[in-house]
Amino acid sequence: MGLIQAVKGAVGGVLADQWKDFHTVPAGLPATAALFAAVPQGTNAGRGSNTSGSSNIITNGSKIVVPEGYGLLLFQDGAITGFVAEPGGYEWRSDDLNSQSIFAGDGIVTPLIRQSWERFKFGGQPGGQQAAYFVSLKELPDNRFGTQSEIYWDDGFLNTQVGAVTRGSYTLKIVDPILFVKNFVPASYLQPGKVFDFTDLDNAAASQLFNEVVGSLAPAFSLYTNDPGKGNRITRLQQDSLGFAQSLSAAVEQGYQWKSDRGLAIVKTAIVSIEYDANTRELLKTVQRADALSGGRGNSNLQASVAQGIQSAGENTGAAGIMGIGMASGMAGGLGALQQPAAPAAPAAEDPVAKLKKAKEMLDLGLITQDDYNALKAKALGL
């Protein structure tokens, strides 16, 4: 009975796999889906239903539609055999015996007999495995990061170590789909019906990426704040999502080789919040005060502070208080030094030799007469 069932299954599977299929993207995919198998379109208005075909065989002549923003990876017996990066409709062709179809011009009798015999040897199952997988080439959003405690890094502008608790999100892009599948995607996701999603909490591979991003935050902050092109200001972090994304991507690549080993790259970041520790907050306040009191604005603020002190002294202690303010300010140059601009330096006396030389040149050029020259000479020499 087992032999009969095997023969029956072999012949029935061969006949079912003669039909051409139409493969496309599965319905209901999340926006963060990165890798998933192409699925055959089962019915079309009640027509064309083929539910008996093998799930791991693609018949010659079958159509596969690649939508915008996706690439197509082709597999034969577990190995990648091709990649398509351009959108459009494609026709499947394979030299594998199991893909041959009487509807694709592969003959009528001989392919059927050979396929039936090969499948009989495998208990009625095809002796090969073929698959087509879509891989997203878009930016994949909503990849979140966050720290539970402060992270610390050396800040070039503050010239000390600073710390903060931060959280945000980043967009991820698969820049090398073949490298991504070969080196990173677990085999359990290379099955029909499975979707590799970076935001899936049950995806252990995605969780590993989260941990590596968190581990790269401190080096990324250091790269950003110590870059002279960024002005060495940590306060710019939340305003420069692209700039910080480059620093974070560089830190991740340096520490974990995402792009070179896994074909992944961070494109953009969005820092939702950053809370500095107490010491860093005090340093930032000091820097803000120094910025506010620099240049002409600082002189104006100082004059206002002295004027306020004089008014308070007059209200509280009378003339004695005002005299005290005057004495204190006199030690620093007096109130006049604050209120009056510095007198311009007297111009240096002109050298008589230089004056005579200039007058001689004017005489030689005919710009002045001999009498004019004699008068200038007498004046320069004080005669």
Side-chain angles (χ1 to χ4, degrees):
M1 178 64 70
L3 179 62
I4 297 174
Q5 290 292 337
V7 172
K8 179 181 178 182
V11 175
V14 168
L15 291 175
D17 285 337
Q18 296 300 302
W19 296 98
K20 297 180 181 180
D21 291 314
F22 184 85
H23 290 74
T24 186
V25 175
L29 282 173
T32 51
L35 181 76
F36 46 88
V39 296
Q41 189 78 24
T43 62
N44 179 17
R47 300 185 301 275
S49 177
N50 177 21
T51 59
S52 301
S54 302
S55 61
N56 59 340
I57 292 298
I58 303 176
T59 304
N60 279 346
S62 295
K63 297 294 190 297
I64 303 178
V65 175
V66 181
E68 289 281 358
Y70 292 92
L72 180 69
L73 283 167
L74 305 179
F75 289 79
Q76 174 73 43
D77 296 331
I80 298 176
T81 58
F83 174 69
V84 175
E86 297 294 327
Y90 296 87
E91 180 178 311
W92 174 274
R93 298 295 302 184
S94 173
D95 294 331
D96 189 275
L97 176 64
N98 295 284
S99 287
Q100 294 186 8
S101 168
I102 60 176
F103 301 115
D106 295 322
I108 298 178
V109 178
T110 303
L112 293 175
I113 296 175
R114 292 177 61 194
Q115 288 181 48
S116 297
W117 172 242
E118 291 297 322
R119 296 192 186 195
F120 168 73
K121 292 190 294 185
F122 287 93
Q125 299 295 321
Q129 185 183 48
Q130 300 163 337
Y133 281 83
F134 290 109
V135 58
S136 177
L137 303 180
K138 305 177 182 180
E139 289 184 41
L140 299 170
D142 204 30
N143 301 280
R144 303 185 181 185
F145 63 82
T147 59
Q148 295 182 347
S149 58
E150 288 87 356
I151 56 174
Y152 292 91
W153 68 93
D154 293 328
D155 185 87
F157 179 72
L158 296 178
N159 198 30
T160 188
Q161 189 179 71
V162 299
V165 176
T166 184
R167 62 186 180 91
S169 64
Y170 60 92
T171 63
L172 195 60
K173 192 169 186 178
I174 301 171
V175 294
D176 190 332
I178 296 176
L179 205 61
F180 170 66
V181 172
K182 280 190 171 183
N183 293 351
F184 190 68
V185 177
S188 59
Y189 284 94
L190 298 177
Q191 301 292 334
K194 297 288 289 184
V195 176
F196 187 97
D197 189 336
F198 289 109
T199 63
D200 184 2
L201 297 178
D202 296 326
N203 187 339
S207 299
Q208 177 64 27
L209 294 182
F210 169 84
N211 294 331
E212 291 176 1
V213 168
V214 172
S216 302
L217 284 174
F221 284 136
S222 181
L223 283 173
Y224 184 89
T225 58
N226 290 286
D227 183 357
K230 302 295 187 301
N232 289 336
R233 294 293 184 110
I234 59 178
T235 52
R236 291 191 58 194
L237 282 169
Q238 290 172 283
Q239 305 169 11
D240 187 12
S241 60
L242 290 177
F244 181 67
Q246 293 172 356
S247 297
L248 182 57
S249 183
V252 167
E253 180 65 19
Q254 183 178 357
Y256 302 100
Q257 293 77 51
W258 275 23
K259 184 178 292 185
S260 56
D261 287 355
R262 300 169 179 171
L264 298 172
I266 292 174
V267 182
K268 297 184 180 69
T269 59
I271 298 180
V272 178
S273 68
I274 180 167
E275 301 175 4
Y276 301 105
D277 64 3
N279 292 334
T280 303
R281 288 196 297 269
E282 288 300 319
L283 284 172
L284 288 174
K285 289 180 181 178
T286 302
V287 170
Q288 290 172 347
R289 284 195 294 267
D291 288 345
L293 296 176
S294 62
R297 181 182 297 176
N299 188 40
S300 298
N301 285 327
L302 187 56
Q303 291 182 30
S305 298
V306 172
Q308 180 63 37
I310 293 174
Q311 180 178 353
S312 299
E315 293 175 352
N316 297 328
T317 59
I322 296 177
M323 290 176 62
I325 291 289
M327 291 176 63
S329 61
M331 295 174 64
L335 290 175
L338 290 174
Q339 296 171 346
Q340 300 296 330
E350 190 173 356
D351 185 5
V353 176
K355 184 181 291 187
L356 286 175
K357 183 178 179 181
K358 185 182 297 183
K360 185 65 170 62
E361 291 176 353
M362 295 175 66
L363 176 63
D364 294 339
L365 292 173
L367 300 176
I368 60 176
T369 63
Q370 184 64 46
D371 293 338
D372 294 332
Y373 174 75
N374 293 335
L376 292 173
K377 179 179 178 182
K379 183 178 179 180
L381 298 177
L383 300 175

